[in-house]
Structures are given as structure tokens and as C-alpha cells.
Amino acid sequence: LLVHDRLYNAMKTSDGYDFKPALTYIKDIVKDYDVAYYNQETILGGSEIGLSSYPAFNSPYEVGEAMIDAGFNLVSLATNHTLDRGEKAITNSVNYWNSKSDVLAVGSYLSNEERNEIRIKEKNNITYTMLNYTYGTNGIKVPSNKEYLVNVWPCTGNDPSTDTKYQEYKNTVKEDIEKVRDKVDLLIVAIHWGIEYKYTPNEYQKDMASYLASLGVNIIIGTHPHVIEPITYIDNTLVIYSLGNFVSAQDTVEDYNTRVGLLSTITINKDSNNNISLSDLNNELIFTTDSSNSYKVIPFSNPDIKTYLNDYERVYNKYSSIVKSIDDTIKINSLSS
């Protein structure tokens, strides 16, 4: 969820902002799921410190209100924009999310104690938690001794095998996972990684995914490229390399690439021996409309897609092929007839 000024200006009301209309087509889908994840790309520091757009974002709390209202309850906060507006924005953001008892928001914290706290949620007798990391913070240095403000798994070179900082941080990731792995049934890692506008994972993404899978992570969810990337499995670990944009008004558009995103759904099963398995993976291509500055997210399977996108069939076929480019058995919802 990427909030440029074009987006928050379009959502302005007489007494604040209302992002709920953007989710009109999505809310009925989300309500059918027990756990619903999204990545909050731009920090919710609130209007009180002044909203801002690219390159140093700050977004209103009403973004979170709309997403919670739609049913989202699992949020990643570690992105390359987490430090955009400094510690005050992070304090506001973390306090906002901590006030939402039904939501698990991770990746950005106000102390080491908070960062290291094991936060476990439960649904249908299945316990779960999520860890979250970002590759970097756009060159903004994390304040000394305050690494808890944002989890950074640094990717500083072109080759993960020779990137010393990257390799060293693997020990931190391993420690994080080992602290929680035997305390939950399901472990999710959300990770901000990859190269913007690239449809294929780079060597860092592949190395990270393999490493996380080797440590017993069940689901890896990738964000940052702003475009969709493939979905695959590494052994029993589901890897979604990039969901692409969700709600956004990003104008870096080439053949709708930043306006086409992905909803992925999965069933979590626990057997009598407490073993977890994943089944019924399905995916839905989505499109963010920009009709007279009225932004809405619409699934390609909804017949109204024809109203907003003339060549919807070609676009659907193009981005479906990207999702399936590693594993052609990955399922994607069909276009509406």
C-alpha cells in the first residue's frame, strides 16, 4: 500500500481522509479469510506531523483504518521508506498499530525489548506469528543503538555470496526464527527485497528464500518491486516473490505494471500430530483504477474490470504468465466470462 499525494488528495474529506471507497471491490473477498496480510509501504506517521509524498513519505492514520475495516489484520512495517520521516513518524506509526489489539504489525519497534518480544496470534487452534525485514532504508542511516526502529537485512553488493554484511545478518535472522519456531504452528516471513520494476527475483531474493525455507519458515511474502513476480515452492515453503502494488497511485507505469497486483490465498491445515500443511493456493490478479482520480482496486475476475481496462484480456494473460513463470501449476482465477 503506497500512498503518494495523488492518492491521499483524492481521498480527502471535509474532516480528514477516507480510503474505504478504494476497497469497495476487495472487502467482500477479504472478509472470507481469517488472516489477511498487507505491506504498509509508506509509514503512518499521521497528519499531525504533515503528510508527504515521494521521496520521503508520510501517510495518514485513515489508511490503516480503511484496511482494518476491510478485514486486514497482519501488517509488515519494515520497508525502504520506514525512516523517511525520522523517529517521530516511527513512534506515531508503532503506537498507532499497537493500539489495534486485533492486528499483528511487525518489523518496526520502539525498543529492543519490543523487537524481541514473541507475539503470537491464534485462529482456529492454529498459532502463528510473522517476522519482517527490509533490504535497506534508501541510504538513511539507522540511528546508532536504535536498530530496533526497523529490521534491516542489508543487501549491499551484487553477489550475496560475497556480501559480508548480508551473510553476517543471517545469524540474526536465524536467532529470530529459532526463538519462535517451536512456539507457533505457522511461521510467516514478510520481506522487502528485490529490484524495482523487475519481474524476476534476483540472486539475493533466491538466496534469502532458500535460507528461510531451510530454517522452517512456512510462507515467505515478498514486497518492494512494485510489480508482480513469480510464485513457487521451495520444498514445503510457499514463496511469493512479489505481490506488486495494492492500493497506489504510482505513475511509474509501463504497460500497467505498477497498477497490476496480486491477492494470494491459501488454506492452512493442522493435523492430529500438529503438523502444518498448505493447500488450495489460489491467486487473483487485481488492478488499481485511476478514473478521474477515483482509485479503486478491482479483481480481474470481476466483470466490472471491462469498464476500467479496455485490453483487460491481454493484460491478464501477460501478468498471469509472470506469476506462473517458475511453476506453471500455480492457479490464477479466471477472467469473468
Side-chain angles (χ1 to χ4, degrees):
L1 207 165
L2 179 66
V3 189
H4 284 84
D5 50 5
R6 293 179 296 279
L7 185 58
Y8 63 70
N9 287 335
M11 303 300 172
K12 189 168 180 55
T13 65
S14 60
D15 59 351
Y17 298 88
D18 183 7
F19 290 82
K20 293 176 184 177
L23 306 174
T24 302
Y25 288 101
I26 297 298
K27 188 172 180 178
D28 280 347
I29 297 174
V30 178
K31 68 178 176 57
D32 290 336
Y33 292 88
D34 297 310
V35 180
Y37 161 86
Y38 86 98
N39 173 61
Q40 185 55 56
E41 175 86 11
T42 55
I43 194 163
L44 303 190
S47 301
E48 64 199 68
I49 63 170
L51 302 185
S52 53
S53 189
Y54 181 85
F57 291 92
N58 179 49
S59 305
Y61 300 131
E62 288 92 335
V63 173
E65 296 301 310
M67 296 300 282
I68 293 169
D69 176 74
F72 290 92
N73 53 18
L74 187 61
V75 187
S76 54
L77 304 178
T79 80
N80 56 312
H81 291 291
T82 304
L83 285 173
D84 276 4
R85 292 290 300 274
E87 288 187 54
K88 177 58 176 174
I90 290 176
T91 299
N92 287 358
S93 165
V94 174
N95 285 335
Y96 170 81
W97 289 112
N98 284 348
S99 74
K100 309 299 180 181
S101 59
D102 293 334
V103 177
L104 178 60
V106 299
S108 180
Y109 309 94
L110 299 183
S111 67
N112 274 319
E113 291 75 18
E114 188 177 54
R115 184 203 182 277
N116 293 323
E117 178 186 351
I118 298 174
R119 302 169 66 189
I120 297 173
K121 293 286 190 179
E122 182 174 342
K123 189 68 180 181
N124 301 333
N125 195 36
I126 296 176
T127 57
Y128 66 93
T129 195
M130 185 170 77
L131 302 173
N132 176 215
Y133 308 90
T134 176
Y135 74 92
T137 52
N138 286 351
I140 303 173
K141 186 175 176 58
V142 180
S144 180
N145 298 318
K146 293 186 177 181
E147 289 79 10
Y148 52 79
L149 292 173
V150 56
N151 283 343
V152 178
W153 186 350
C155 302
T156 56
N158 296 315
D159 182 351
S161 67
T162 59
D163 188 336
T164 304
K165 290 184 178 180
Y166 167 78
Q167 294 294 340
E168 288 176 349
Y169 197 81
K170 281 185 173 180
N171 295 324
T172 300
V173 174
K174 184 178 182 181
E175 289 172 4
D176 290 344
I177 289 174
E178 288 179 343
K179 275 191 301 189
V180 301
R181 180 58 282 189
D182 63 352
K183 295 178 175 63
V184 293
D185 299 312
L186 180 77
L187 178 57
I188 304 165
V189 172
I191 188 157
H192 216 60
W193 61 5
I195 305 297
E196 290 179 328
Y197 319 119
K198 297 294 184 182
Y199 301 121
T200 55
N202 66 5
E203 293 306 311
Y204 278 98
Q205 289 169 276
K206 294 174 187 176
D207 190 79
M208 287 173 165
S210 295
Y211 185 66
L212 293 170
S214 75
L215 296 175
V217 175
N218 300 103
I219 301 174
I220 301 167
I221 310 173
T223 56
H224 175 62
H226 301 296
V227 298
I228 57 175
E229 291 183 349
I231 294 175
T232 190
Y233 285 90
I234 299 175
D235 298 323
N236 295 319
T237 301
L238 173 63
V239 183
I240 303 167
Y241 274 112
S242 176
L243 288 168
N245 284 345
F246 183 46
V247 183
S248 78
Q250 191 171 18
D251 60 3
T252 311
V253 177
E254 180 181 316
D255 200 17
Y256 309 108
N257 60 343
T258 59
R259 293 170 66 184
V260 175
L262 194 65
L263 298 180
S264 294
T265 60
I266 192 83
T267 299
I268 313 299
N269 313 284
K270 185 166 81 167
D271 66 19
S272 58
N273 295 317
N274 293 328
N275 296 315
I276 289 292
S277 62
L278 311 178
S279 65
D280 305 318
L281 172 66
N282 199 21
N283 299 280
E284 175 85 66
L285 288 175
I286 54 175
F287 180 73
T288 302
T289 70
D290 178 9
S291 177
S292 301
N293 288 323
S294 176
Y295 297 94
K296 294 188 188 305
V297 181
I298 182 168
F300 274 75
S301 63
N302 190 302
D304 286 357
I305 189 70
K306 302 170 187 177
T307 303
Y308 297 104
L309 187 58
N310 290 332
D311 54 347
Y312 65 95
E313 291 181 276
R314 181 193 64 80
V315 176
Y316 171 87
N317 289 332
K318 173 179 177 175
Y319 291 100
S320 293
S321 68
I322 292 170
V323 175
K324 301 169 71 168
S325 60
I326 294 177
D327 182 350
D328 64 7
T329 68
I330 297 297
K331 290 177 61 178
I332 300 177
N333 277 352
S334 302
L335 286 168
S336 172
S337 58

PDB file of all heavy atoms in Angstrom, residues 139 154 205 213 291:
ATOM      1  N   GLY A 139      19.344   4.589   1.967  1.00  0.00           N
ATOM      2  CA  GLY A 139      20.543   5.327   2.332  1.00  0.00           C
ATOM      3  C   GLY A 139      20.437   6.120   3.617  1.00  0.00           C
ATOM      4  O   GLY A 139      21.425   6.732   4.052  1.00  0.00           O
ATOM      5  N   PRO A 154      20.716  -6.255   5.489  1.00  0.00           N
ATOM      6  CA  PRO A 154      21.372  -5.426   4.473  1.00  0.00           C
ATOM      7  C   PRO A 154      21.813  -6.215   3.242  1.00  0.00           C
ATOM      8  O   PRO A 154      22.409  -7.278   3.344  1.00  0.00           O
ATOM      9  CB  PRO A 154      22.575  -4.852   5.220  1.00  0.00           C
ATOM     10  CG  PRO A 154      22.855  -5.841   6.304  1.00  0.00           C
ATOM     11  CD  PRO A 154      21.524  -6.397   6.718  1.00  0.00           C
ATOM     12  N   GLN A 205      17.184 -12.418  -3.521  1.00  0.00           N
ATOM     13  CA  GLN A 205      15.873 -12.996  -3.213  1.00  0.00           C
ATOM     14  C   GLN A 205      15.929 -14.522  -3.196  1.00  0.00           C
ATOM     15  O   GLN A 205      15.367 -15.162  -2.302  1.00  0.00           O
ATOM     16  CB  GLN A 205      14.839 -12.532  -4.238  1.00  0.00           C
ATOM     17  CG  GLN A 205      14.441 -11.073  -4.124  1.00  0.00           C
ATOM     18  CD  GLN A 205      13.625 -10.612  -5.304  1.00  0.00           C
ATOM     19  OE1 GLN A 205      14.183 -10.233  -6.339  1.00  0.00           O
ATOM     20  NE2 GLN A 205      12.319 -10.645  -5.179  1.00  0.00           N
ATOM     21  N   ALA A 213      13.620 -20.960   3.948  1.00  0.00           N
ATOM     22  CA  ALA A 213      12.987 -22.271   3.829  1.00  0.00           C
ATOM     23  C   ALA A 213      13.756 -23.318   4.626  1.00  0.00           C
ATOM     24  O   ALA A 213      13.162 -24.181   5.286  1.00  0.00           O
ATOM     25  CB  ALA A 213      12.888 -22.676   2.365  1.00  0.00           C
ATOM     26  N   SER A 291      -9.633   6.563 -12.438  1.00  0.00           N
ATOM     27  CA  SER A 291     -10.670   7.197 -13.250  1.00  0.00           C
ATOM     28  C   SER A 291     -11.065   8.505 -12.585  1.00  0.00           C
ATOM     29  O   SER A 291     -11.725   8.508 -11.537  1.00  0.00           O
ATOM     30  CB  SER A 291     -11.896   6.272 -13.368  1.00  0.00           C
ATOM     31  OG  SER A 291     -12.930   6.898 -14.089  1.00  0.00           O
TER      32      SER A 291
END
